[in-house]
Amino acid sequence: LARRFLEAGVRFVEVTHEDWDHHGFVSTAMPTRTKEIDQPVAGLLMDLAQRGLLDDTLVFWGGEFGRTPEDPTQDGRGHNSTGFSIFMAGAGLKRGIAYGRTDEYGFDAVENKVHTHDLHATLLHLMGLDHERLTYRYAGRDFRLTDVHGRVVHDIIA
């Protein structure tokens, strides 16, 4: 359905999973959830690539936060705002790379850190928008999604 929307010229399509907020029971929930999404995500990417739509389509997979590698309550993981993973494809991105790294426990980003402002600037750039021009003035101050920060992460762009 997402591919058909894109073929019809819809510029933004959001595909979500109804239960992707994994705090507890990770050892049983994650295998089930990944089985639910692996084939559909792979199918979407293959469909877009076969039809030449992946070149112009940004595919973004992420969540609200990263997850800590532990949570002492119930076979789970807690919120982690200092190290998390995002999957992106298409839209002029380099293929097959991993950018950034966390420490050996997955708690903190330690290499090629990307701040939220940088992520937003990069996403907007990949969609053909200049984050610095998306500015509005309110109460005597300029505001934008990337605040007064944000740099495009050119290292991931082909």
Side-chain angles (χ1 to χ4, degrees), residues 138-149:
Y138 176 76
R141 181 175 180 261
D142 288 340
F143 287 87
R144 64 179 188 239
L145 179 64
T146 56
D147 195 27
V148 296
H149 312 283

Side-chain angles (χ1 to χ4, degrees), residues 25-147:
F25 310 105
V26 173
S27 63
T28 55
M30 284 305 293
T32 301
R33 297 299 173 261
T34 54
K35 285 179 185 174
E36 293 170 357
I37 65 151
D38 281 353
Q39 188 174 4
V41 170
L44 174 62
L45 292 172
M46 288 178 10
D47 278 355
L48 294 175
Q50 287 173 352
R51 289 164 173 78
L53 292 170
L54 193 56
D55 296 336
D56 299 323
T57 302
L58 174 62
V59 177
F60 177 93
W61 179 275
E64 59 177 337
F65 278 100
R67 293 287 185 241
T68 60
E70 52 75 34
D71 178 7
T73 59
Q74 53 184 333
D75 180 29
R77 297 165 54 167
H79 283 151
N80 186 355
S81 63
T82 61
F84 54 97
S85 300
I86 291 171
F87 164 81
M88 296 193 307
L93 290 163
K94 289 181 182 176
R95 295 176 177 202
I97 68 163
Y99 187 81
R101 187 174 58 81
T102 61
D103 62 31
E104 63 185 291
Y105 301 107
F107 276 108
D108 294 308
V110 295
E111 183 179 295
N112 293 329
K113 296 179 185 182
V114 177
H115 190 276
T116 305
H117 296 310
D118 301 337
L119 174 63
H120 289 162
T122 304
L123 293 173
L124 290 167
H125 175 79
L126 292 168
M127 293 187 287
L129 300 168
D130 181 351
H131 73 101
E132 293 180 347
R133 295 189 63 201
L134 292 175
T135 304
Y136 65 95
R137 184 168 276 293
Y138 176 76
R141 181 175 180 261
D142 288 340
F143 287 87
R144 64 179 188 239
L145 179 64
T146 56
D147 195 27

